[in-house]
mmCIF file of all heavy atoms in Angstrom:
data_model
loop_
_atom_site.group_PDB
_atom_site.id
_atom_site.type_symbol
_atom_site.label_atom_id
_atom_site.label_comp_id
_atom_site.label_asym_id
_atom_site.label_seq_id
_atom_site.Cartn_x
_atom_site.Cartn_y
_atom_site.Cartn_z
ATOM 1 N N THR A 26 -37.247 119.325 -136.258
ATOM 2 C CA THR A 26 -36.664 118.163 -135.595
ATOM 3 C C THR A 26 -37.699 117.037 -135.584
ATOM 4 O O THR A 26 -38.857 117.248 -135.981
ATOM 5 C CB THR A 26 -36.280 118.491 -134.133
ATOM 6 O OG1 THR A 26 -37.482 118.558 -133.343
ATOM 7 C CG2 THR A 26 -35.520 119.809 -134.021
ATOM 8 N N PRO A 27 -37.321 115.844 -135.112
ATOM 9 C CA PRO A 27 -38.318 114.761 -135.010
ATOM 10 C C PRO A 27 -39.485 115.105 -134.092
ATOM 11 O O PRO A 27 -40.533 114.456 -134.169
ATOM 12 C CB PRO A 27 -37.493 113.601 -134.434
ATOM 13 C CG PRO A 27 -36.098 113.856 -134.915
ATOM 14 C CD PRO A 27 -35.946 115.351 -134.863
ATOM 15 N N LYS A 28 -39.338 116.134 -133.235
ATOM 16 C CA LYS A 28 -40.414 116.533 -132.333
ATOM 17 C C LYS A 28 -41.340 117.592 -132.930
ATOM 18 O O LYS A 28 -42.352 117.939 -132.324
ATOM 19 C CB LYS A 28 -39.830 117.070 -131.024
ATOM 20 C CG LYS A 28 -39.110 116.030 -130.189
ATOM 21 C CD LYS A 28 -38.636 116.627 -128.871
ATOM 22 C CE LYS A 28 -37.963 115.588 -127.998
ATOM 23 N NZ LYS A 28 -37.520 116.174 -126.695
ATOM 24 N N THR A 29 -41.008 118.103 -134.107
ATOM 25 C CA THR A 29 -41.817 119.175 -134.698
ATOM 26 C C THR A 29 -43.186 118.656 -135.116
ATOM 27 O O THR A 29 -43.297 117.669 -135.842
ATOM 28 C CB THR A 29 -41.111 119.786 -135.927
ATOM 29 O OG1 THR A 29 -39.823 120.264 -135.542
ATOM 30 C CG2 THR A 29 -41.928 120.931 -136.501
ATOM 31 N N LYS A 30 -44.230 119.348 -134.667
ATOM 32 C CA LYS A 30 -45.597 118.968 -135.033
ATOM 33 C C LYS A 30 -46.269 120.030 -135.881
ATOM 34 O O LYS A 30 -47.016 119.721 -136.814
ATOM 35 C CB LYS A 30 -46.429 118.741 -133.762
ATOM 36 C CG LYS A 30 -47.824 118.154 -134.006
ATOM 37 C CD LYS A 30 -47.731 116.803 -134.694
ATOM 38 C CE LYS A 30 -49.077 116.114 -134.820
ATOM 39 N NZ LYS A 30 -49.545 115.546 -133.536
ATOM 40 N N LEU A 31 -46.026 121.305 -135.555
ATOM 41 C CA LEU A 31 -46.725 122.397 -136.220
ATOM 42 C C LEU A 31 -45.767 123.537 -136.552
ATOM 43 O O LEU A 31 -44.744 123.731 -135.889
ATOM 44 C CB LEU A 31 -47.816 122.968 -135.303
ATOM 45 C CG LEU A 31 -49.204 122.348 -135.292
ATOM 46 C CD1 LEU A 31 -50.048 123.019 -134.213
ATOM 47 C CD2 LEU A 31 -49.882 122.497 -136.651
ATOM 48 N N ILE A 32 -46.148 124.278 -137.572
ATOM 49 C CA ILE A 32 -45.546 125.575 -137.890
ATOM 50 C C ILE A 32 -46.695 126.571 -137.954
ATOM 51 O O ILE A 32 -47.715 126.306 -138.594
ATOM 52 C CB ILE A 32 -44.809 125.542 -139.239
ATOM 53 C CG1 ILE A 32 -43.687 124.494 -139.213
ATOM 54 C CG2 ILE A 32 -44.254 126.915 -139.598
ATOM 55 C CD1 ILE A 32 -43.250 124.052 -140.594
ATOM 56 N N ILE A 33 -46.554 127.696 -137.260
ATOM 57 C CA ILE A 33 -47.588 128.733 -137.323
ATOM 58 C C ILE A 33 -47.078 129.858 -138.209
ATOM 59 O O ILE A 33 -46.053 130.486 -137.909
ATOM 60 C CB ILE A 33 -47.944 129.266 -135.923
ATOM 61 C CG1 ILE A 33 -48.431 128.129 -135.018
ATOM 62 C CG2 ILE A 33 -49.023 130.346 -136.039
ATOM 63 C CD1 ILE A 33 -48.826 128.568 -133.620
ATOM 64 N N LEU A 34 -47.777 130.091 -139.297
ATOM 65 C CA LEU A 34 -47.366 131.100 -140.275
ATOM 66 C C LEU A 34 -48.474 132.136 -140.409
ATOM 67 O O LEU A 34 -49.638 131.789 -140.627
ATOM 68 C CB LEU A 34 -47.107 130.423 -141.619
ATOM 69 C CG LEU A 34 -46.366 131.238 -142.678
ATOM 70 C CD1 LEU A 34 -44.933 131.543 -142.231
ATOM 71 C CD2 LEU A 34 -46.354 130.487 -144.002
ATOM 72 N N CYS A 35 -48.112 133.400 -140.272
ATOM 73 C CA CYS A 35 -49.083 134.490 -140.368
ATOM 74 C C CYS A 35 -48.670 135.430 -141.483
ATOM 75 O O CYS A 35 -47.598 136.038 -141.428
ATOM 76 C CB CYS A 35 -49.152 135.242 -139.039
ATOM 77 S SG CYS A 35 -50.335 136.611 -139.015
ATOM 78 N N THR A 36 -49.501 135.547 -142.509
ATOM 79 C CA THR A 36 -49.199 136.445 -143.616
ATOM 80 C C THR A 36 -50.492 136.961 -144.232
ATOM 81 O O THR A 36 -51.375 136.154 -144.539
ATOM 82 C CB THR A 36 -48.322 135.752 -144.689
ATOM 83 O OG1 THR A 36 -48.076 136.667 -145.774
ATOM 84 C CG2 THR A 36 -48.940 134.484 -145.239
ATOM 85 N N PRO A 37 -50.635 138.289 -144.371
ATOM 86 C CA PRO A 37 -49.823 139.365 -143.817
ATOM 87 C C PRO A 37 -49.674 139.216 -142.303
ATOM 88 O O PRO A 37 -50.563 138.704 -141.635
ATOM 89 C CB PRO A 37 -50.589 140.629 -144.178
ATOM 90 C CG PRO A 37 -51.373 140.260 -145.410
ATOM 91 C CD PRO A 37 -51.768 138.834 -145.167
ATOM 92 N N CYS A 38 -48.551 139.691 -141.801
ATOM 93 C CA CYS A 38 -48.140 139.352 -140.448
ATOM 94 C C CYS A 38 -48.499 140.424 -139.425
ATOM 95 O O CYS A 38 -48.353 141.614 -139.674
ATOM 96 C CB CYS A 38 -46.626 139.126 -140.433
ATOM 97 S SG CYS A 38 -45.953 138.760 -138.805
ATOM 98 N N ASN A 39 -48.950 139.962 -138.282
ATOM 99 C CA ASN A 39 -49.025 140.767 -137.069
ATOM 100 C C ASN A 39 -47.858 140.290 -136.202
ATOM 101 O O ASN A 39 -47.789 139.096 -135.889
ATOM 102 C CB ASN A 39 -50.353 140.512 -136.360
ATOM 103 C CG ASN A 39 -50.463 141.193 -135.006
ATOM 104 O OD1 ASN A 39 -49.624 141.977 -134.607
ATOM 105 N ND2 ASN A 39 -51.522 140.867 -134.288
ATOM 106 N N PRO A 40 -46.868 141.141 -135.883
ATOM 107 C CA PRO A 40 -46.942 142.599 -135.759
ATOM 108 C C PRO A 40 -46.245 143.410 -136.846
ATOM 109 O O PRO A 40 -46.165 144.630 -136.740
ATOM 110 C CB PRO A 40 -46.181 142.816 -134.442
ATOM 111 C CG PRO A 40 -45.079 141.796 -134.512
ATOM 112 C CD PRO A 40 -45.693 140.599 -135.166
ATOM 113 N N THR A 41 -45.709 142.767 -137.887
ATOM 114 C CA THR A 41 -44.791 143.481 -138.788
ATOM 115 C C THR A 41 -45.432 144.018 -140.053
ATOM 116 O O THR A 41 -44.897 144.929 -140.681
ATOM 117 C CB THR A 41 -43.640 142.558 -139.204
ATOM 118 O OG1 THR A 41 -44.168 141.493 -140.016
ATOM 119 C CG2 THR A 41 -42.945 141.971 -137.984
ATOM 120 N N GLY A 42 -46.545 143.424 -140.481
ATOM 121 C CA GLY A 42 -47.136 143.797 -141.757
ATOM 122 C C GLY A 42 -46.443 143.161 -142.949
ATOM 123 O O GLY A 42 -46.813 143.421 -144.096
ATOM 124 N N SER A 43 -45.446 142.311 -142.700
ATOM 125 C CA SER A 43 -44.735 141.668 -143.810
ATOM 126 C C SER A 43 -45.630 140.629 -144.484
ATOM 127 O O SER A 43 -46.480 140.006 -143.840
ATOM 128 C CB SER A 43 -43.454 141.005 -143.310
ATOM 129 O OG SER A 43 -42.540 141.979 -142.856
ATOM 130 N N VAL A 44 -45.401 140.447 -145.776
ATOM 131 C CA VAL A 44 -46.199 139.521 -146.569
ATOM 132 C C VAL A 44 -45.268 138.525 -147.261
ATOM 133 O O VAL A 44 -44.326 138.925 -147.950
ATOM 134 C CB VAL A 44 -47.042 140.267 -147.622
ATOM 135 C CG1 VAL A 44 -47.788 139.280 -148.513
ATOM 136 C CG2 VAL A 44 -48.029 141.216 -146.947
ATOM 137 N N TYR A 45 -45.527 137.249 -147.067
ATOM 138 C CA TYR A 45 -44.771 136.221 -147.779
ATOM 139 C C TYR A 45 -45.267 136.152 -149.226
ATOM 140 O O TYR A 45 -46.459 135.983 -149.461
ATOM 141 C CB TYR A 45 -44.940 134.863 -147.105
ATOM 142 C CG TYR A 45 -44.131 134.703 -145.829
ATOM 143 C CD1 TYR A 45 -44.598 135.202 -144.612
ATOM 144 C CD2 TYR A 45 -42.896 134.058 -145.849
ATOM 145 C CE1 TYR A 45 -43.861 135.064 -143.448
ATOM 146 C CE2 TYR A 45 -42.153 133.912 -144.684
ATOM 147 C CZ TYR A 45 -42.631 134.415 -143.486
ATOM 148 O OH TYR A 45 -41.893 134.286 -142.331
ATOM 149 N N THR A 46 -44.359 136.303 -150.169
ATOM 150 C CA THR A 46 -44.723 136.240 -151.588
ATOM 151 C C THR A 46 -44.997 134.794 -151.980
ATOM 152 O O THR A 46 -44.629 133.858 -151.250
ATOM 153 C CB THR A 46 -43.582 136.776 -152.463
ATOM 154 O OG1 THR A 46 -42.450 135.877 -152.349
ATOM 155 C CG2 THR A 46 -43.164 138.179 -152.032
ATOM 156 N N PRO A 47 -45.623 134.573 -153.141
ATOM 157 C CA PRO A 47 -45.788 133.192 -153.607
ATOM 158 C C PRO A 47 -44.469 132.432 -153.671
ATOM 159 O O PRO A 47 -44.420 131.245 -153.330
ATOM 160 C CB PRO A 47 -46.411 133.376 -154.996
ATOM 161 C CG PRO A 47 -47.182 134.654 -154.883
ATOM 162 C CD PRO A 47 -46.340 135.537 -154.005
ATOM 163 N N GLU A 48 -43.400 133.117 -154.063
ATOM 164 C CA GLU A 48 -42.089 132.466 -154.138
ATOM 165 C C GLU A 48 -41.591 132.093 -152.738
ATOM 166 O O GLU A 48 -41.016 131.013 -152.541
ATOM 167 C CB GLU A 48 -41.078 133.383 -154.829
ATOM 168 C CG GLU A 48 -41.327 133.594 -156.316
ATOM 169 C CD GLU A 48 -42.553 134.442 -156.600
ATOM 170 O OE1 GLU A 48 -42.909 135.303 -155.743
ATOM 171 O OE2 GLU A 48 -43.184 134.234 -157.665
ATOM 172 N N ASP A 49 -41.804 132.989 -151.766
ATOM 173 C CA ASP A 49 -41.430 132.688 -150.381
ATOM 174 C C ASP A 49 -42.153 131.436 -149.888
ATOM 175 O O ASP A 49 -41.546 130.545 -149.276
ATOM 176 C CB ASP A 49 -41.796 133.855 -149.448
ATOM 177 C CG ASP A 49 -41.015 135.126 -149.711
ATOM 178 O OD1 ASP A 49 -39.864 135.035 -150.176
ATOM 179 O OD2 ASP A 49 -41.571 136.213 -149.434
ATOM 180 N N LEU A 50 -43.454 131.385 -150.137
ATOM 181 C CA LEU A 50 -44.263 130.268 -149.647
ATOM 182 C C LEU A 50 -43.895 128.963 -150.349
ATOM 183 O O LEU A 50 -43.877 127.894 -149.717
ATOM 184 C CB LEU A 50 -45.746 130.574 -149.840
ATOM 185 C CG LEU A 50 -46.298 131.724 -148.990
ATOM 186 C CD1 LEU A 50 -47.760 131.988 -149.332
ATOM 187 C CD2 LEU A 50 -46.159 131.426 -147.496
ATOM 188 N N LYS A 51 -43.602 129.032 -151.636
ATOM 189 C CA LYS A 51 -43.194 127.825 -152.360
ATOM 190 C C LYS A 51 -41.922 127.241 -151.766
ATOM 191 O O LYS A 51 -41.786 126.014 -151.619
ATOM 192 C CB LYS A 51 -43.002 128.141 -153.847
ATOM 193 C CG LYS A 51 -44.303 128.385 -154.596
ATOM 194 C CD LYS A 51 -44.044 128.862 -156.021
ATOM 195 C CE LYS A 51 -45.355 129.233 -156.716
ATOM 196 N NZ LYS A 51 -45.119 129.820 -158.061
ATOM 197 N N ALA A 52 -40.977 128.110 -151.415
ATOM 198 C CA ALA A 52 -39.722 127.646 -150.830
ATOM 199 C C ALA A 52 -39.965 126.979 -149.477
ATOM 200 O O ALA A 52 -39.374 125.934 -149.165
ATOM 201 C CB ALA A 52 -38.747 128.816 -150.688
ATOM 202 N N LEU A 53 -40.853 127.568 -148.655
ATOM 203 C CA LEU A 53 -41.173 126.974 -147.360
ATOM 204 C C LEU A 53 -41.917 125.657 -147.538
ATOM 205 O O LEU A 53 -41.652 124.675 -146.825
ATOM 206 C CB LEU A 53 -42.015 127.948 -146.532
ATOM 207 C CG LEU A 53 -41.355 129.275 -146.134
ATOM 208 C CD1 LEU A 53 -42.337 130.129 -145.337
ATOM 209 C CD2 LEU A 53 -40.075 129.061 -145.340
ATOM 210 N N ALA A 54 -42.840 125.619 -148.495
ATOM 211 C CA ALA A 54 -43.627 124.403 -148.720
ATOM 212 C C ALA A 54 -42.742 123.241 -149.158
ATOM 213 O O ALA A 54 -42.966 122.087 -148.767
ATOM 214 C CB ALA A 54 -44.711 124.662 -149.757
#
């Protein structure tokens, strides 16, 4: 939204252990 300042992204992730692939990150970027 217009109020968004930050996104916090953790990969590999605590608590799940999930890993964003290069393709995942490209889509988010």
